[in-house]
Amino acid sequence: MSFEKENCRGKYIASTQRPDGTWRKQRRVKEGYVPQEEVPVYENKYVKFFKSKPELPPGLSPEATALVTPSRPEGGEPGLSKTAKRNLKRKEKRRQQQERGEAEALSRTLEKVSLGETAQLPSVLQGSQAAPPAAPDLPDSAATTEKAKKIKNLKKKLRQVEELQQRIQAGEVSQPSKEQLEKLARRRALEEELEDLELGL
């Protein structure tokens, strides 16, 4: 779309109307001028090479590729490596075990409540959330290591409770916060849970 016209004195770009209704002046240009909208976009040699490169390897006919339909890899997720698929399976299994553990902990607390331990309900609930039980389908060695970890964790929490109690008695903490008071209230539940785990080992 060139707005040029030849004249005896050189080339001219004809006057054009702007969108607002005003007119652009006629412009004189040098010989060989190409309007901006007609200038081809620059492409380096690599871009040109890849554009001219065929999509199929040399010698392979397009009909042969049309017969073969791309199949999705096993597992449903296209483009995932074996390791990534394995990791997805592990995450899903861990999530299911955690949900199962939370459900078991909740059922245990409900059993305790039905047996008449209504006074200790909040502390039992907090204790069960802090340490979910081991999954029953784990091997014995894994279950014992899991119990050992829980015992170590409970001992650490009891040690923290005792340190907090000593700091309060020494006067280092004048007004304990709500979280600190809750930690102190959980002491008995932590001790009971630790005794149960140690007897179970």
Side-chain angles (χ1 to χ4, degrees):
M1 214 204 249
S2 178
F3 297 108
E4 304 166 8
K5 65 178 182 180
E6 287 291 330
N7 199 338
C8 58
R9 293 180 291 171
K11 282 186 170 181
Y12 283 87
I13 296 179
S15 58
T16 56
Q17 192 172 12
R18 297 185 184 100
D20 65 351
T22 58
W23 286 88
R24 294 182 190 91
K25 290 182 181 178
Q26 176 179 333
R27 286 181 12 212
R28 183 176 180 195
V29 292
K30 293 181 181 178
E31 198 70 37
Y33 171 79
V34 179
Q36 185 68 36
E37 57 270 0
E38 294 178 14
V39 175
V41 176
Y42 172 75
E43 294 176 343
N44 62 28
K45 60 183 176 181
Y46 299 108
V47 172
K48 288 178 185 175
F49 169 74
F50 283 109
K51 279 190 175 180
S52 65
K53 183 178 160 187
E55 291 182 21
L56 303 173
L60 184 64
S61 67
E63 294 84 28
T65 57
L67 296 174
V68 179
T69 57
S71 61
R72 291 182 71 172
E74 202 174 301
E77 296 282 338
L80 289 180
S81 65
K82 288 182 181 178
T83 310
K85 290 177 190 173
R86 198 178 313 130
N87 288 340
L88 280 174
K89 287 180 183 177
R90 284 181 185 163
K91 280 184 182 179
E92 183 65 26
K93 192 173 182 180
R94 254 188 254 127
R95 188 181 58 79
Q96 288 174 354
Q97 285 179 351
Q98 186 178 12
E99 288 175 358
R100 197 178 314 135
E102 288 173 357
E104 288 175 7
L106 187 60
S107 65
R108 264 199 228 122
T109 54
L110 288 175
E111 287 173 12
K112 286 183 180 181
V113 169
S114 65
L115 293 174
E117 295 183 1
T118 54
Q120 294 181 351
L121 175 64
S123 60
V124 170
L125 280 174
Q126 290 171 351
S128 65
Q129 288 173 354
D137 59 336
L138 292 176
D140 289 339
S141 62
T144 54
T145 56
E146 192 72 26
K147 282 186 180 181
K149 283 181 184 178
K150 287 180 185 176
I151 289 173
K152 183 179 176 185
N153 193 12
L154 287 171
K155 285 182 179 178
K156 179 183 174 186
K157 287 181 181 178
L158 280 171
R159 194 170 51 246
Q160 288 175 345
V161 169
E162 289 171 5
E163 288 173 3
L164 179 62
Q165 184 72 38
Q166 289 173 359
R167 285 173 47 204
I168 289 173
Q169 288 175 353
E172 293 177 25
V173 180
S174 59
Q175 288 190 340
S177 67
K178 182 180 177 183
E179 290 83 16
Q180 290 172 330
L181 292 173
E182 287 175 0
K183 190 181 267 191
L184 290 172
R186 270 185 286 177
R187 181 178 185 164
R188 184 67 198 138
L190 291 172
E191 288 171 349
E192 287 175 3
E193 194 172 350
L194 181 61
E195 287 173 15
D196 292 343
L197 282 173
E198 286 175 341
L199 290 175
L201 270 177

